[in-house]
Amino acid sequence: GLFGLALAAIYPLIVRDSKLAAAQPGTERLRTSAAIPGAPRLSSPLATVVGTASVICAYVGSGLQLFIGASLLVWMPSYLIEQRGQGAVAAALWTALMLVLNVPGNLFGGWLRQRGLPLGWQLCLGHLATGLGAGVYAAEALPDSVRLLAALWVSFIGGLVSSAVLSSSSVLARD
C-alpha cells in the first residue's frame, strides 16, 4: 500500500518524457492537439499513458478499489481476533480465503469483458457491488456470519474492477 503510493509519487520525478523518447525513437514527432484542432504539439510518451480522462478515471477507480480491498485484508484479522475472540489460525484462514476469492472474481470479470459487457458498466457494477458489500460488513448490528460473507463478497467482486481496468488499458491509452 504505502510502497505503491510512494512509487506513484516518485514515478513522475524519475520517468521523464525525454528518457522515454530516447528509448523509443520516433516518438518526438509533432501531433495535432485534440483540444485545439490544427495546433501542433510535441508528442509526450508519458502523456499517452495518462493523458485521457478515461484512463485517469480508471486509475482512480482502480486505486480506490485496491484501497478498499487492502483495508479489508488488514481489518479482517484484527476484527476476528480482537472483537470476536477467534484464534490467529482462524483469522489467517479467513483472510487467505478473502485473498484467494479475488482470483475467481478476476476471471469472472474477464469472462464478462469477453462476452461484450461494456467497460463502464463493468466498472460501475463492480464499484456499486463493492460499496453495498462494504456497507453490510461494516454494519455492527448484523450477525457475524452475514458480515463475514459480505467481506468475502467484496473480495470476490473486486476482481470485476481489476479485470476491467487491466483489460482496458491498451484500448484507452492514446496511440
Side-chain angles (χ1 to χ4, degrees):
L2 291 178
F3 177 74
L5 290 174
L7 184 61
I10 294 171
Y11 184 83
L13 301 173
I14 296 172
V15 179
R16 300 280 182 188
D17 288 335
S18 58
K19 289 181 182 179
L20 291 172
Q24 294 179 329
T27 57
E28 292 141 353
R29 66 187 183 278
L30 289 177
R31 288 191 179 170
T32 304
S33 173
I36 306 170
R41 68 173 173 86
L42 271 179
S43 170
S44 169
L46 187 56
T48 62
V49 176
V50 294
T52 65
S54 301
V55 172
I56 292 170
C57 288
Y59 286 163
V60 169
S62 180
L64 291 172
Q65 184 72 27
L66 179 63
F67 176 75
I68 291 169
S71 298
L72 189 57
L73 288 172
V74 170
W75 169 79
M76 182 60 73
S78 61
Y79 167 74
L80 291 173
I81 292 170
E82 295 172 12
Q83 300 287 323
R84 300 298 175 221
Q86 297 289 321
V89 172
L93 289 173
W94 271 105
T95 306
L97 180 60
M98 285 177 42
L99 191 59
V100 168
L101 277 177
N102 192 262
V103 174
N106 272 284
L107 295 173
F108 179 61
W111 181 83
L112 289 174
R113 292 290 293 143
Q114 288 179 342
R115 299 301 177 275
L117 181 67
L119 172 67
W121 279 105
Q122 186 166 337
L123 289 171
C124 181
L125 292 173
H127 284 299
L128 181 63
T130 298
L132 292 173
V136 171
Y137 77 69
E140 294 183 22
L142 294 174
D144 285 346
S145 58
V146 172
R147 293 178 74 191
L148 290 173
L149 287 174
L152 295 174
W153 168 258
V154 167
S155 182
F156 170 80
I157 210 68
L160 286 180
V161 174
S162 303
S163 59
V165 170
L166 293 173
S167 71
S168 66
S169 59
S170 63
V171 174
L172 296 176
R174 294 180 185 168
D175 56 352

